[in-house]
Amino acid sequence: MSMFQDIERVLISEAKIQARIVELADELNALYDDADLPVLVCILKGAFVFLADLTRHLDFRHEVDFMEISSYGAGTTSTGVVRILLDLASNIEGRQVVIVEDIVDTGHTLDYILRSFTARNPAGLRVVTLLDKPSRRAIDVPVDIVGFEIPNEFVMGYGLDYSEQYRNVPYIGVLKPEVYREGLGIS
Ligand code: PRP
């Protein structure tokens, strides 16, 4: 049985994502040049696919780094309690930093990251997210560049998971309700 049978519908197609990423990269290309040497920080795990595609459309010198954040609490909603599982390898003091997220939902994760990064005194800090769910925002967070605003649906694919799976699906999709009801049947 294919994992694709668990998917009810495609919300954003692979072609639309890829076309939009070229536009997002162009926005960044207009903001930075080689002398800035920004650090693009991929927020793991969800943003790894987005970062991989985005970085290949950038025409200025940059570095990439990774940070893994987890929100406590099971299920499909974030609780607001956030912790760092993996911190940056680089020192961002005095550096231009671009946070790369897959989705901003309640805003708790991004708020935590912004406060943590601001305390490290970067020269500049911007946020790019592929997806934004403004209807779910619990805390006001500044997002500079947004790929797609989406409705309040639980989405997966293109880096986003359900129960750690489906990150490899090349589009943003919505799972069939019975997948949540019955779980993935893996013990
Ligand atoms: C997701 C996503 C964001 C965060 C957004 O990460 O990648 O970091 O939730 O939610 P918020 O705005 O409500 O805080 P998740 O904690 O699911 O971890 P993952 O990226 O490893 O799947």
Side-chain angles (χ1 to χ4, degrees), residues 33-145:
D33 58 32
D34 287 351
D36 296 315
L37 193 63
V39 187
L40 266 68
V41 176
C42 173
I43 307 303
L44 296 171
K45 300 175 189 165
F48 79 101
V49 180
F50 179 38
L51 175 85
D53 282 342
L54 184 68
T55 187
R56 285 176 286 175
H57 291 288
L58 299 178
D59 61 13
F60 52 89
R61 290 177 195 269
H62 62 279
E63 300 173 6
V64 296
D65 204 345
F66 299 87
M67 187 165 193
E68 186 170 4
I69 300 285
S70 175
S71 31
Y72 283 107
T76 57
T77 57
S78 137
T79 54
V81 184
V82 176
R83 67 186 166 134
I84 296 177
L85 299 181
L86 172 76
D87 207 345
L88 297 177
S90 34
N91 177 2
I92 59 167
E93 185 174 356
R95 302 287 307 269
Q96 292 289 342
V97 176
V98 181
I99 296 169
V100 179
E101 261 289 23
D102 53 333
I103 185 166
V104 181
D105 188 0
T106 64
H108 285 301
T109 304
L110 184 56
D111 178 64
Y112 180 88
I113 296 166
L114 286 168
R115 283 189 283 112
S116 170
F117 281 18
T118 301
R120 306 179 198 200
N121 297 315
L125 192 51
R126 286 195 173 97
V127 178
V128 54
T129 186
L130 182 68
L131 304 177
D132 186 13
K133 247 191 219 181
S135 62
R136 290 256 311 154
R137 202 73 93 247
I139 185 162
D140 194 30
V141 279
V143 182
D144 299 283
I145 300 176

